[in-house]
Structures are given as structure tokens and as C-alpha cells.
Amino acid sequence: MLQGKIFDIKRYALHDGPGIRQTVFFKGCPLRCWWCHNPESQSIKTEIITREMKLDGDSYYEDVPVGRLMTVDDVMAEVLKETVFYDESGGGVTFSGGEPLLQAEFLKALAAECRRDNIHTVLDTCGYANPETVDSVADLIDLFLFDIKLIDEERHREYAGASNRIILQNLRRLAANGHKIIIRFPVIPDITDTDENIAGLIGLLHSIPSMNEVDLLPYHSIANHKYLQFEMENKMKDAQPPSDERMNMLKEHFEQNGFSVKIGG
Amino acid sequence: MSERIQRLREQSLNAINRISPERAVLVTEFYKSDIAESVSVPVKRALAFQYILANKKICINDGELIVGERGPAPKATPTYPEICLHSLEDLDTLDSRPKVSFKVDDETRRIYKDLVIPYWQGKTIREKLFSSVDSQWVDAYESGLFTEFLEQRAPGHTANGGKIYRKGMLDLKEDIRHSIEALDFFNDPHAYEKREELKAMDIVADAIIMFAGRHADALDQLAKKEKDGVRKREMEEMAAICRHIPAHSPRTFHEALQYYWFVHIGVITELNPWDSFNPGRLDQHLYPSYKNGLESGTLTEEWARELLQAFWIKFNNHPAPPKVGVTAAESGTYTDFALINLGGVKADGSDAVNDLTFLILDVIEEMRILQPSSMIQVSKKNPDRFIKRAAKIIRTGFGQPSVFNTDEIVQELVRQGKSLEDARNGGASGCVESGAFGTESYILTGYFNLVKIFEITLHNGVDPRTGKEIGIRTGDPTTFTTFDQLLQAFKKQENYFADIKVKGSNIIERLHADYLPVPFLSVLIDDCITKGIDYNAGGARYNTNYIQGVGLGSLTDILTSIKYNVFDKKNFTMGELMNALDANFQGYEKLRADLVYHTPKYGNDDDYADEQAVRIFDIFYDSVNGRPNTKGGVYRINMLPTTSHVYFGSVTLATPDGRKAHEPLSEGISPVQGADTKGPTAVVKSASKIDHIKTGGTLLNQKFSPHLLDSDDGISNLTSLIRSYFRLDGHHIQFNVVTAETLRDAQKHPEKYRDLIVRVAGYSDYFSDLGKELQDEIIRRTEQQSF
């Protein structure tokens, strides 16, 4: 039976698309962004971590797996629990990760099931997948949250661990095929938040018709403890989040360039 | 906010609670008089009311627009020795207790010692009550199985209908006269009692007119001396208002507010009914005079706003009357819950939201005071902008307004046999209690400790805290081989205590009916005049008694834990579990961690746990619902704790959900504090699995960080969450919007947070006035985070 590797299902997700949503986090990602705030999602392998439980000042430790194999029915059983909230809020399901397109068959089966049940679907993607894979899923997705991080290919290689060529190609093709897309731009001080990169991004978006919505996602250090927990190298451990003033300035800048902008999505 | 309102608001916030002996003195003087000895009980009560209103000090505060105080000054709080008598020790306790103290001066102590205590000792309802109920009732009461509402306060819990806005007291006197004339002494054996009751109603109607007249006289006197021309004219107008209402029906917005306020003071002077009195559907009642005023140019929106603000302050001047003895533990704080209803539907079922609804929401936001409390009734017919406006007040973190489901309330009331129109004119009062406003007496009889009943089941009828056998023998649970056996044992035990509670209430409410009828409240509530029967004796059109189940979340987790760990997974035996409980988990820390972290819990939309909630609910419902009361109505259930879950927890030892001895139980139908880990949608789903429509109210508390609500999207999502819960027939939801950090800081530095109001359980209170235990609990309640 078809199974996918899922590392979390989050209810009452409010920032992963319109309305009240349930977000299904797929495990495994082709990129290695320095600022990744779900580092536990990067490897497709199930890892075991030791979790501390505190009770009355005592600590108890237990090993818990990160990532479990689930069938489409398993996931849908969770998804369908929230139908009333999707109906009232115009919400639905968001596939996120990790990178859902790494498990394209499973993603396709889930999205098809949602389509059958009339549930709105969002794909939160880094766009790094081969074009045939993207095409095979695209018609089952109602809205793409498409990450664009760096325009310069070399810098993309350095900070995200791969070329961005295929990503930009996928973006253009999805747009050309009439899919609804919101661009998500992570604002990482001194890395993505440079005048050159922002000018490049705006230029790119202007070159694609129908690109008019941008979510600005400010970097936050919320994942620092996860890097420790997973014993992974944290290249950003001293980085500071962008200031509110900076975020508002960027918002205004994108708005002046004709985009409708949200901070935080 | 005008300078005047700012000043009055500050005055009210800064006024110090005091015990005023005024009412106790007047009622004692009257009871000692010859006339009191020579008349029937209802007439005696009416004359006592008249005597108090004729002789109490008239208080008109500087700059006030709405006049009338229950005591001689704001927050000077009377006592009700007819019901319960404060001892000198009680007065000392009130004076010195750290939370919500009431100052008691030497003069008051002297009056109590020389006059009040000698007269009332042995004559109070409280003493009659304890000598009338049987020993099983006393045992259960002392073990903390239930509380008794009517032991220190009068039956009340009622909300005003629209009648007073159509009829003045002179009109009501006409109605009373018709009822007296219609009495049939040839065929009605109760005609005499009815005539005495109606005579009493007639006396109190005159008394309230006289009381308003005394205010008019005082205002005229003040106006004569006033140098400021504007204020002088204001007082002359107010005097004219006090001469028109309550004798006649109100013609203007100002008259309508002042009329209600005299009625309010009347009800809470007559006795100390639960939750004082409730203005009910204020935006509906006041709308005609508001609209007329604006249209005729006699009222501006600004003046209406100022009058409403002045009205708001009057509520805040009246703390709940303090209790006696150990009952302070039952209710840690003292506010009366005058819950103003906004929105909902009209009698014809159409959307009731109007311009005044929004003006009153503005007033709630600007005033930011504890009393009156406020709520919005949300029907599917109401527009989203109404909920969103209220959500913007909710997010400021002062705990108001709470949110109710009109369509569900109407279904509850119609299921209980009310007419559709009466149901639509109803709403919720107190914390979350459904009622038909102006036509129903719905009496809360006491909180019912479901968890303690289960604890007694686990000990085969014995209260492990005292070692006393107070229940029935339902078997030694370590010998049970199935979960169902345990459940059946609990059911028998629960039925036994429900019987005891109902029997006690059937005695207690007769004491109130026989000794302390309330003719003034009876004038206000239909159909007391038509029937010639007192509110306390079944005069209202509908008469419902409620028992309040407490600890649903805790007991669900307890049953789930036993089913999961003992019967299904066989992680340990019942005997091992009992040993751990007896030891309060000392030496069983790992087992406790498993109970807390590795056992399914209510509040996560997990059927394995939630189905136990449904079973408990059904057992409780079946044992209570539909049993007759003494007033021609029936008993029903609701699920709310006020603060009794803290008291009930304090008398309950360690429980199989990992809760340690004496810690609070869960409140309302909310999950155990910290047990819900899947967010508010999961909580809402779990909470909607019980059948709310079979209750008279349920309470669901959700704590929200302010950041969840700081954008328009956040407000929209909250609106959707509310709509979703209500689609699932949820009755009520309220939101505590505050961060745990803020609360911790407030605990450390109460002086910096004097205005910090939090939702406690169906009402709001100043955080700094809460006991530490309750403060800790509010901090612990799951903070819903979203990244």
C-alpha cells in the first residue's frame, strides 16, 4: 500500500494559506537552506531523538521517532476531522515539509483524495523538482506557496545547497499554465535581504504575468534548539531576526512595485 | 470618555468595599415592630422592603447621571441577616482577608453585637436549612460532594424581560388589582394566600415609586444649591425623570436606564438573589427609545454613550454581598454576574443586531470595568462584522465579552417546553446559564462534584480523605474484571448522590418560599401577578432547577486512564494504581509521568478519550433531567463551575489522570489544564461531542495569546472558529487573551497590574484579586500557540 513519510500534522494552522488549515509536513527536502526552521524535516530517514518530559521538576527522557509512515487513509482521517473549520473559514489542507514533491506519488494520491472531498489544497514548495513531477501534481493543487530565496544562482548554491535554475523554470511554467501562486520570500539578513537580491526578485516577478502576491517571511531563531537537539550544524546560530522597521520597509517597497504583500503569510 | 465619566469611573475603581449595617438595622427594626407580628409573611416582607426604602440614606454622587445606591455610598455593601447571619468572627475575617476584603468599622461591630446578632440568631434561613435536611445530605455536603447555592443567598438568577419598558409601576398596580378582583374565594382554596401575595406586590410597587420620589426630592434640594448652571439643569431634569418613572413607563433613553436602575436596586435590596439582577437584552430593550430620541433630535449618540457609561459605573459600585463561615473557600472571589446580552435574534426570529449594539460594544471597550459583565449572542443570522467588532474587544485581554450561541440556546429552551417567542427573548445570565428572560425562574441549586463521586466509587463508598462511609457499597474495584463494571458502579454511586441533592433542594426551596417570598421580584417576572403566586413559590411562567456538574474534563481523563492503562493495555493493575493514588504518587513518579504524558486525554479530538465524556454526561443527565421540583417545573443539568473546581479539587485526593491530591479539577467542559495539545480546533471538536442542547448551559474556556489576534486574518480566523463551534451546537466559548509571561509578572508585581482583568470561569475578575492557586491555574491553562 502506498505510504508517505510524514513528520507532523498540525491543526489550526493559520499561516499556511487562507483560512483555518491543517498542515501535513512531509519529511525529506532536496535543499539545505542555512536558515531552515524545520531542520528535522531535511532527511527522508526517520530519526530518533531523545525528548525530555518535565514533571514537578523531575525530568524523564524517552526516545521518539521523527517521521512515520502513513497511508493516504491515515492522513485523510486526520484531515477530515477539521472539515467544519475549512467550510467556515475558507481553509483546507496545506502540504508542507520538507518538500512534498520529493514524495510525489503520495502527494498526488492525497491531493486527489482532497479534491474528491472538495477540500481546498495548498502546496508549500521550494520548487526544486523535475518538471514532469510538478506537472503531474499541479492540477490537483488549488494554490501554490512558492518559495523564492535567492536570484543569483551561485549564491543559491551556497546558501540553499543547489542551483535555482530548475526552481525558476518551474515557477514560470506553473504561472504560464494559469496556476494560482503566492511567492514566499524568506527575509534573511545579509543573505536574502540584500538590495541586489530584492531588485532581482522584483525583476523576476515583473517578468512573469499574474505574479502579484508576495508573503515576506522574517527569519526567526525559533529553530536554534532543534539544531542542538538533532546535533546538526547551525550556520545561523548568531543571526538576528530582521527588525519590524525593516520588514515594514520591505513591505512598502514590494507594494510600491505593485505587489500585494503580507508579513508572515 | 468625558471628564465626568473618567472621574466617576476612577471613584468607583478606588472606592473601598465596606460592610454597611444600614439594611441589617432597618430590617431588624421592622421585624421587631408590632405590625410585623400582625401580618402575613408576604405582606411582612413587602412592608420590610418599604421600611428599608423609606428610611435608607439617599446617595447622589457628584456628577452622576443615573442615581440610586443599595448602600449609603458606592461599595458600601449591606447584609441579609434573614438568610445568613455574620458572626463577629466573620466580620473580622471579611475585614482582614487579603483578597477582596470588606472593611468593617467599630460601629458596625457594635451594631451587630448589640442588635443584629441577638435578634436573628436561630431565625435565619441558613439555620433552618441545616436543621431541615437529613444526615446523608450533611455528610455529602461536608465531604465536598456538592455545594448549596441557597444556603447564603436567595433564589435568583433571573434576568429582566422587556415589561418594564412598556409598563410603569402604576400600570403593574392595575394588573395586580385585576388579579385580586379575579380571585375566586368560592372555588380556589389558595385564594387567601394569593390575595396576601398580591397585596404584598402592590405595597412594593408603591414603595419603589416612593423611593424614586425621595431621589427626586434630594435632587431638587441639590439643584437649588448648585452654582454651575449646566449641572443645575441636569439635576432638575433628573428629578423630573425620577418623578415620571418608575410610576410610568419610560419615554426617553435616560428614563429607560434610570427605570431599570431603580428596579435593579429594588431587587438587590429586597434580598441577595444569586447574580443580583440582570438587565438581559439591553440593546433590544433600549433600542426603541434610542431610535426615537435620535429621530426626534432629543438625543445624540454622544449623550447616549455618556448615559450608558454612567449606567455601567453603577453596576461596578455593587460588589456581591459577602458570605459567612467557610463558604469563602467555595467562591474565591466576589463579583455578581450581571451579564448584559447583545445581539441574537428578535422574537420573530430575525437578526437583532442594531446600531445600539455597536454603541454598547464601544462602551464596554472604553469602560473596561468588571461589572457589568457582557456577552454577545451569536446567531447564524447575525453578520460577521458583529463578531469581529466583539473580537477586537476580546483581544484587548480583559475577558469580555464572552460568546454565546443563540440558535443553540433557543433549541435548549424550546426543548424544555418554552414557547418559541419566549425562547428567542431569552439568552444567558450568570456565567453561561440559559433562561427565558422575564418569564423564568431558573434556580441553580449547587455544584456537583463528579470527580469526588468517582473517588468514592473507587473506595467502595468511603471518602478516603476522612475515612467516613458516605456513599453506597458498589464493590471493590480491584475485583472488577471489565471497565463496564467500574462504570456501572460509578453510575449507582452517582444516582445515589443525585437523589440526596434533589431531596435536599426540594426541602430548601420550600423554606425560601414559606419564609422569604420576594414580592418585588414577583412584580417583574411574568406570570407571578397573573397567578398571584410568588417567584419563589412557582409564580414564574417557567420554573427550572439546575444542578451544575463539575469536573467533566478531569473525570473523562480519569476513566480514560483506567480503561487504557488497566483494562486495554494492561500497563498496571487496579491495585497498583490504587497504591500510587494512596501514596499521592510518591515513589510512583514514573507511573505518574506515564499517566500525564502517555495516556489519551480529553480535548484532543480523540474519540478514545472523548467517548468517556459522553458516558459521564449521559449518566449525570439521566439522573437529574426531568425530575419534578416543588414549583411545578423540573430539574435539569448544566456544566459550569464558577470557581468551585478549585474547592472541589481541594477535597479530592490524587486521581488516575496523574492529578495530585488537592489540585484543582478541570473547569466547565474545558479540558484538564495542559491536557489539550492539539490546538483550539481539537478542543472545540472534543467539547462538541456531548449534547449541549440537553443542558441549560456549558462553559468552554480557551486561552489565546494576543498575537493570534493581532491581524485582520487573526480576527477572521477567530470568527470562523466561533462559527464552527456553534455549527457543532456549542453553547458558549470565551477567550483569555494574555501571555503567560504577563501573568507571571502580574503575580510577582500585582501593584503594576491593578487593571489586569482575566477570564476566570464564566466571568472576569481582577487578576490581583484572585488567590494564588487560581492565579497559578490560569497561568497553566493551555496557551494556544501558533508559529
Side-chain angles (χ1 to χ4, degrees):
Chain A
M1 195 185 295
L2 184 59
Q3 289 184 312
K5 178 134 333 150
I6 301 301
F7 78 91
D8 198 9
I9 295 181
K10 185 172 154 52
R11 300 178 72 152
Y12 200 59
L14 302 181
H15 303 290
D16 299 328
I20 297 176
R21 313 193 68 83
Q22 195 168 106
T23 300
V24 180
F25 291 92
F26 286 61
K27 195 151 156 57
C29 185
L31 301 186
R32 291 291 179 271
C33 303
W34 286 26
W35 53 85
C36 179
H37 64 259
N38 285 334
E40 73 274 31
S41 73
Q42 291 177 359
S43 164
I44 186 109
K45 288 200 299 261
T46 297
E47 290 130 314
I48 304 290
I49 59 157
T50 303
R51 193 171 64 185
E52 185 187 18
M53 298 176 298
K54 281 189 177 161
L55 197 58
D56 275 357
D58 292 331
S59 287
Y60 303 89
Y61 298 92
E62 61 173 350
D63 290 340
V64 289
V66 175
R68 60 186 165 131
L69 287 171
M70 295 179 83
T71 64
V72 171
D73 286 351
D74 291 340
V75 177
M76 287 309 290
E78 291 302 309
V79 166
L80 290 171
K81 283 182 174 176
E82 305 255 87
T83 320
V84 63
F85 307 103
Y86 312 149
D87 288 353
E88 281 294 339
S89 68
V93 175
T94 297
F95 307 112
S96 183
E99 174 50 60
L101 289 168
L102 263 193
Q103 305 181 53
E105 285 308 305
F106 188 69
L107 173 63
K108 219 182 331 181
L110 260 184
E113 201 64 30
C114 288
R115 179 59 55 86
R116 230 188 320 276
D117 291 331
N118 222 345
I119 294 170
H120 182 267
T121 54
V122 168
L123 178 61
D124 182 7
T125 180
C126 72
Y128 192 88
N130 80 49
E132 295 77 52
T133 304
V134 175
D135 285 349
S136 72
V137 180
D139 284 341
L140 294 167
I141 300 297
D142 295 308
L143 171 67
F144 287 84
L145 300 179
F146 200 108
D147 285 19
I148 298 289
K149 301 161 175 93
L150 288 157
I151 300 302
D152 180 81
E153 188 181 353
E154 270 320 299
R155 298 191 72 227
H156 198 280
R157 253 188 235 283
E158 184 184 352
Y159 290 107
S163 158
N164 62 3
R165 199 176 299 174
I166 197 168
I167 295 173
L168 301 182
Q169 203 184 318
N170 280 328
L171 176 64
R172 287 180 192 282
R173 223 190 30 273
L174 283 171
N177 291 337
H179 294 289
K180 193 167 173 345
I181 301 166
I182 296 175
I183 297 298
R184 302 206 127 188
F185 175 58
V187 179
I188 318 297
D190 303 327
I191 301 179
T192 66
D193 185 10
T194 64
D195 291 349
E196 198 191 342
N197 190 44
I198 286 163
L201 175 59
I202 289 173
L204 168 77
L205 297 181
H206 278 159
S207 75
I208 308 173
S210 83
M211 283 294 104
N212 44 29
E213 272 187 74
V214 178
D215 290 347
L216 301 177
L217 310 180
Y219 168 78
H220 53 72
S221 50
I222 200 157
N224 281 355
H225 73 279
K226 293 190 192 172
Y227 282 92
L228 288 173
Q229 203 174 15
F230 285 85
E231 295 170 0
M232 294 166 76
E233 188 195 356
N234 183 358
K235 294 175 176 164
M236 303 280 294
K237 62 176 181 293
D238 299 321
Q240 293 301 312
S243 67
D244 288 350
E245 295 79 56
R246 178 63 191 159
M247 291 306 298
N248 287 326
M249 240 170 80
L250 281 175
K251 180 169 188 275
E252 222 166 277
H253 183 61
F254 275 88
E255 281 169 348
Q256 279 162 3
N257 279 282
F259 300 101
S260 110
V261 183
K262 264 189 205 168
I263 295 173
Chain B
M1 203 184 298
S2 70
E3 184 272 327
R4 174 217 310 269
I5 297 296
Q6 275 177 37
R7 188 159 39 81
L8 288 170
R9 181 177 178 276
E10 270 309 295
Q11 262 174 19
S12 182
L13 288 175
N14 294 332
I16 291 167
N17 295 335
R18 293 178 192 285
I19 294 292
S20 158
E22 181 185 59
R23 185 186 179 282
V25 168
L26 293 173
V27 79
T28 308
E29 281 173 8
F30 176 76
Y31 264 66
K32 284 175 132 180
S33 69
D34 291 343
I35 182 131
E37 292 297 317
S38 61
V39 293
S40 66
V41 173
V43 171
K44 179 163 141 183
R45 292 302 302 165
L47 292 173
F49 180 79
Q50 185 188 51
Y51 187 79
I52 296 167
L53 293 189
N55 293 290
K56 79 179 291 299
K57 182 175 178 291
I58 297 295
C59 167
I60 291 164
N61 297 302
D62 205 18
E64 274 194 318
L65 295 171
I66 305 290
V67 294
E69 288 286 330
R70 174 180 56 179
K75 294 194 181 170
T77 307
T79 53
Y80 303 80
E82 311 98 298
I83 292 191
C84 65
L85 181 61
H86 290 81
S87 66
L88 292 175
E89 296 77 58
D90 288 333
L91 294 178
D92 287 341
T93 306
L94 292 174
D95 185 61
S96 60
R97 68 178 184 192
K99 299 290 174 186
V100 202
S101 64
F102 284 78
K103 292 294 151 213
V104 182
D105 59 23
D106 290 344
E107 175 68 1
T108 303
R109 279 196 183 82
R110 190 192 60 70
I111 289 169
Y112 252 77
K113 182 164 169 279
D114 295 344
L115 177 75
V116 181
I117 293 175
Y119 180 79
W120 287 102
Q121 195 124 51
K123 298 193 185 78
T124 67
I125 281 282
R126 187 162 190 258
E127 287 156 300
K128 289 192 178 81
L129 186 155
F130 281 105
S131 62
S132 304
V133 292
D134 52 28
S135 65
Q136 287 97 324
W137 190 97
V138 175
D139 284 346
Y141 175 82
E142 285 176 351
S143 271
L145 273 131
F146 50 71
T147 65
E148 176 51 58
F149 272 46
L150 301 188
E151 160 234 359
Q152 302 196 24
R153 294 188 73 173
H157 210 287
T158 187
N160 190 40
K163 183 164 79 175
I164 63 164
Y165 304 99
R166 296 187 305 272
K167 289 186 174 186
M169 286 290 155
L170 293 177
D171 303 314
L172 293 169
K173 275 169 65 74
E174 263 309 283
D175 293 346
I176 292 165
R177 192 173 62 80
H178 285 305
S179 279
I180 291 175
E181 281 168 7
L183 287 173
D184 179 358
F185 277 81
F186 299 114
N187 297 300
D188 182 354
H190 299 293
Y192 167 74
E193 290 137 67
K194 289 178 182 172
R195 191 181 65 191
E196 292 306 302
E197 175 67 28
L198 288 162
K199 268 162 64 182
M201 292 188 204
D202 191 59
I203 293 166
V204 295
D206 281 329
I208 201 77
I209 296 172
M210 169 272 293
F211 185 56
R214 291 186 65 208
H215 284 83
D217 294 345
L219 282 161
D220 278 340
Q221 290 296 322
L222 287 170
K224 268 186 207 135
K225 283 183 244 154
E226 180 62 53
K227 299 210 174 59
D228 175 355
V230 176
R231 178 63 183 159
K232 188 186 186 75
R233 271 194 304 284
E234 231 169 55
M235 286 196 287
E236 285 164 357
E237 268 172 48
M238 287 159 67
I241 287 170
C242 293
R243 290 213 166 81
H244 181 78
I245 53 89
H248 307 280
S249 63
R251 298 162 300 190
T252 65
F253 191 71
H254 196 164
E255 284 180 353
L257 284 170
Q258 182 65 63
Y259 188 176
Y260 175 79
W261 189 250
F262 279 133
V263 158
H264 188 94
I265 292 293
V267 172
I268 64 176
T269 298
E270 180 172 51
L271 277 178
N272 60 354
W274 263 96
D275 290 345
S276 66
F277 194 49
N278 196 326
R281 305 279 298 275
L282 201 62
D283 60 340
Q284 306 307 303
H285 297 158
L286 296 177
Y287 189 61
S289 62
Y290 176 70
K291 195 161 156 272
N292 287 344
L294 290 186
E295 280 169 8
S296 65
T298 54
L299 181 69
T300 63
E301 193 187 304
E302 275 324 292
W303 185 237
R305 184 189 300 265
E306 193 161 354
L307 287 170
L308 282 166
Q309 289 172 334
F311 183 70
W312 244 242
I313 290 163
K314 296 306 283 187
F315 286 88
N316 203 60
N317 286 349
H318 294 82
K323 294 188 176 175
V324 303
V326 293
T327 320
E330 177 199 327
S331 211
T333 62
Y334 288 103
T335 61
D336 263 333
F337 317 125
L339 185 66
I340 287 175
N341 284 227
L342 299 174
V345 295
K346 297 181 197 167
D348 65 3
S350 60
D351 176 12
V353 169
N354 58 41
D355 297 345
L356 184 59
T357 314
F358 286 93
L359 181 64
I360 294 177
L361 285 169
D362 287 350
V363 168
I364 292 164
E365 185 168 36
E366 264 190 284
M367 294 309 285
R368 264 187 107 80
I369 45 179
L370 208 52
Q371 279 300 315
S373 193
S374 60
M375 64 90 121
I376 57 165
Q377 282 198 30
V378 173
S379 159
K380 57 184 185 258
K381 291 180 180 168
N382 298 139
D384 276 358
R385 69 189 171 94
F386 167 54
I387 310 177
K388 287 180 179 174
R389 174 69 190 93
K392 284 178 184 166
I393 305 174
I394 290 169
R395 78 172 167 196
T396 65
F398 106 103
Q400 288 186 32
S402 51
V403 186
F404 288 77
N405 183 355
T406 300
D407 307 315
E408 188 270 347
I409 289 174
V410 170
Q411 278 193 75
E412 280 178 26
L413 296 177
V414 169
R415 182 194 84 89
Q416 297 176 354
K418 277 120 188 160
S419 78
L420 187 56
E421 199 165 84
D422 285 342
R424 285 170 174 161
N425 282 333
S429 59
C431 289
V432 297
E433 298 86 309
S434 307
F437 291 175
T439 52
E440 184 175 16
S441 151
Y442 44 120
I443 307 299
L444 305 197
T445 64
Y447 301 110
F448 197 61
N449 190 345
L450 295 165
V451 177
K452 184 79 190 175
I453 293 173
F454 186 76
E455 182 176 58
I456 285 165
T457 312
L458 278 184
H459 293 86
N460 199 8
V462 174
D463 178 357
R465 189 173 63 99
T466 59
K468 198 167 171 179
E469 185 167 351
I470 62 163
I472 48 175
R473 292 185 187 173
T474 48
D476 173 0
T478 60
T479 65
F480 293 168
T481 52
T482 64
F483 178 66
D484 197 54
Q485 268 179 296
L486 180 65
L487 212 58
Q488 290 310 317
F490 169 70
K491 184 177 178 172
K492 279 184 209 145
Q493 205 71 252
E494 194 278 342
N495 289 351
Y496 173 73
F497 286 109
D499 284 348
I500 291 175
K501 179 68 183 160
V502 168
K503 181 179 173 189
S505 287
N506 285 342
I507 294 167
I508 293 161
E509 64 180 5
R510 284 310 306 170
L511 295 176
H512 283 270
D514 286 349
Y515 294 99
L516 292 178
V518 281
F520 187 70
L521 187 55
S522 304
V523 168
L524 302 170
I525 302 298
D526 289 331
D527 303 314
C528 296
I529 294 176
T530 319
K531 290 186 190 170
I533 298 175
D534 191 81
Y535 176 88
N536 283 351
R541 188 173 304 162
Y542 310 107
N543 291 280
T544 315
N545 285 19
Y546 282 103
I547 298 177
Q548 295 79 58
V550 175
L552 181 73
S554 291
L555 187 51
T556 299
D557 288 355
I558 289 166
L559 288 173
T560 303
S561 172
I562 295 176
K563 183 171 190 291
Y564 183 82
N565 291 306
V566 175
F567 291 103
D568 289 357
K569 297 281 176 190
K570 302 197 180 351
N571 290 333
F572 39 77
T573 66
M574 195 66 154
E576 284 162 345
L577 177 62
M578 296 289 288
N579 290 339
L581 299 182
D582 289 347
N584 197 18
F585 300 112
Q586 268 194 3
Y588 295 88
E589 286 79 8
K590 179 67 178 63
L591 182 142
R592 178 164 175 250
D594 286 338
L595 296 177
V596 171
Y597 286 110
H598 295 134
T599 301
K601 305 276 184 198
Y602 170 75
N604 297 295
D605 195 10
D606 175 353
D607 283 337
Y608 186 92
D610 297 346
E611 69 183 19
Q612 306 313 326
V614 176
R615 285 181 164 162
I616 297 158
F617 178 87
D618 288 344
I619 288 171
F620 178 45
Y621 173 83
D622 290 341
S623 69
V624 173
N625 184 68
R627 297 172 76 150
N629 65 22
T630 66
K631 300 189 295 273
V634 298
Y635 283 83
R636 302 199 184 275
I637 64 163
N638 45 26
M639 307 296 280
L640 67 115
T642 313
T643 59
S644 69
H645 59 297
V646 175
Y647 163 65
F648 280 168
S650 75
V651 295
T652 307
L653 303 183
T655 44
D657 57 337
R659 176 190 147 279
K660 286 181 143 183
H662 314 305
E663 286 181 359
L665 306 180
S666 64
E667 48 89 34
I669 58 167
S670 310
V672 167
Q673 296 77 7
D676 53 315
T677 57
K678 298 251 159 62
T681 52
V683 171
V684 154
K685 282 287 302 294
S686 285
S688 63
K689 288 176 192 174
I690 57 168
D691 191 348
H692 294 235
I693 291 168
K694 288 157 113 179
T695 73
T698 61
L699 182 148
L700 179 62
N701 210 328
Q702 280 280 284
K703 191 148 166 269
F704 262 65
S705 313
H707 76 267
L708 279 179
L709 301 172
D710 58 10
S711 66
D712 288 349
D713 280 354
I715 295 282
S716 292
N717 287 327
L718 186 78
T719 304
S720 303
L721 183 71
I722 291 166
R723 292 274 199 203
S724 303
Y725 185 44
F726 289 179
R727 240 171 90 167
L728 299 170
D729 287 338
H731 171 85
H732 150 276
I733 186 165
Q734 67 192 18
F735 302 94
N736 247 332
V737 181
V738 70
T739 63
E741 285 82 352
T742 309
L743 294 176
R744 276 190 210 101
D745 197 49
Q747 208 170 27
K748 265 186 238 144
H749 308 287
E751 72 281 3
K752 282 197 269 171
Y753 294 92
R754 276 182 55 222
D755 66 339
L756 175 59
I757 298 176
V758 291
R759 207 79 198 165
V760 180
Y763 68 97
S764 301
D765 210 334
Y766 289 107
F767 187 74
S768 58
D769 281 349
L770 303 176
K772 178 153 189 310
E773 248 177 315
L774 208 51
Q775 288 184 341
D776 287 343
E777 186 207 312
I778 288 176
I779 292 172
R780 269 200 310 276
R781 274 184 204 154
T782 313
E783 191 168 356
Q784 304 295 350
Q785 291 287 354
S786 179
F787 299 115

